[in-house]
Amino acid sequence: MKIINMLPWLDWLALFTFFGLWIGYAWLAKVRGFREQSLIANTNRYRQLWMLQATAREPRMLDGIITQNLSQTPAFFSSTSIIIIGGLFALLGTTDKASELVGEIPFAQPTPLLVFEFKILVLVGIFVYAFFRFSWSMRQYTFVALVIGAMPPPEDFAANRFDRQHFAERAGNLVSAAAETFNDGLRAYYFSFAAMAWFFSPTALVLATALVVLILYGREFRSEVLHVLRD
């Protein structure tokens, strides 16, 4: 309860704006992505085509290698998140020195020690969320490998003993879910950079958050890669 009284109302407003823009953009990207075919929506289409090709391939060693390579990226970020969380908790033991260092920056706003520690805990919360998303993405890729391994031989699909389209859609949806979960964790990393601006001032937090939203929007809806995938 002490932090509620110590943190100025402007900082509370900036914090609510930060999470509001984060949640709002995530919702907008998901809803608008279906209509305008965002980057993740377009790559999901290719994932469906990949799984359709996998049903006609024997052996499916190539698909297993691709799935393993895809799972390595969330594994890397998951491990990195643990290291960052450990570093942030270590920083809590030296907050007095860290607060003095930030206070020497010309445009930084003076911050009480308790408030400074609260800002670190907010960063910890962001990376904990990122860790859970990355680790869940890793598990989803293991499910993809299981589904690929359980696919019947191509001749069974050709003989109509199994529904090829059904198997491809199920596996494609799993790959898409794993990719979208990874995207959530990666988005948390982007917003963590905006959260670091809060150590300087609440205005810097709002401006940095708005900048991150613009960068993410440009990459997901206006990037050159998206135009190539659409073509």
Side-chain angles (χ1 to χ4, degrees):
M1 295 298 294
K2 190 176 181 181
I3 189 64
I4 297 177
N5 298 325
M6 288 191 65
L7 197 64
W9 67 269
L10 194 59
D11 285 271
W12 282 117
L13 181 61
L15 187 61
F16 287 134
T17 302
F18 169 76
F19 284 109
L21 286 174
W22 184 353
I23 297 171
Y25 176 76
W27 175 83
L28 178 67
K30 187 173 183 179
V31 173
R32 192 171 181 179
F34 290 111
R35 295 199 311 263
E36 293 191 11
Q37 290 296 296
S38 64
L39 188 61
I40 191 71
N42 271 274
T43 52
N44 284 343
R45 182 165 55 90
Y46 283 92
R47 292 181 182 97
Q48 293 286 347
L49 292 173
W50 167 31
M51 288 297 110
L52 192 62
Q53 292 294 324
T55 58
R57 215 173 354 240
E58 187 69 22
R60 300 188 176 96
M61 187 180 299
L62 175 63
D63 306 292
I65 293 173
I66 295 173
T67 304
Q68 183 180 9
N69 289 336
L70 289 174
S71 65
Q72 288 177 356
T73 306
F76 168 77
F77 277 101
S78 181
S79 302
T80 304
S81 299
I82 295 176
I83 296 173
I84 294 173
I85 291 169
L88 289 172
F89 275 117
L91 183 61
L92 285 173
T94 58
T95 48
D96 50 347
K97 296 181 180 179
S99 180
E100 292 176 4
L101 179 63
V102 174
E104 291 178 359
I105 299 175
F107 54 86
Q109 178 180 307
T111 305
L113 196 59
L114 184 62
V115 174
F116 193 86
E117 291 175 347
F118 176 71
K119 293 178 180 180
I120 295 175
L121 289 176
V122 170
L123 272 176
V124 170
I126 293 173
F127 284 105
V128 167
Y129 168 79
F131 167 77
F132 278 108
R133 299 309 286 170
F134 288 132
S135 59
W136 179 231
S137 178
M138 287 168 52
R139 288 201 63 191
Q140 287 175 311
Y141 278 118
T142 62
F143 303 151
V144 173
L146 288 173
V147 172
I148 293 175
M151 283 182 181
E155 53 267 23
D156 285 351
F157 287 121
N160 291 325
R161 295 193 185 98
F162 296 95
D163 188 348
R164 180 186 181 191
Q165 192 67 35
H166 175 69
F167 268 87
E169 286 181 2
R170 180 183 296 181
N173 290 337
L174 275 175
V175 182
S176 298
E180 289 173 5
T181 306
F182 172 77
N183 193 47
D184 291 340
L186 195 60
R187 189 178 291 152
Y189 267 57
Y190 277 93
F191 278 97
S192 69
F193 285 100
M196 286 191 291
W198 194 20
F199 288 99
F200 302 113
S201 71
T203 304
L205 172 61
V206 174
L207 292 176
T209 306
L211 179 61
V212 167
V213 169
L214 287 175
I215 292 172
L216 289 174
Y217 178 80
R219 292 188 175 183
E220 293 189 36
F221 292 94
R222 296 290 182 267
S223 64
E224 294 181 3
V225 175
L226 179 58
H227 292 308
V228 172
L229 290 173
R230 282 175 176 171
D231 293 339

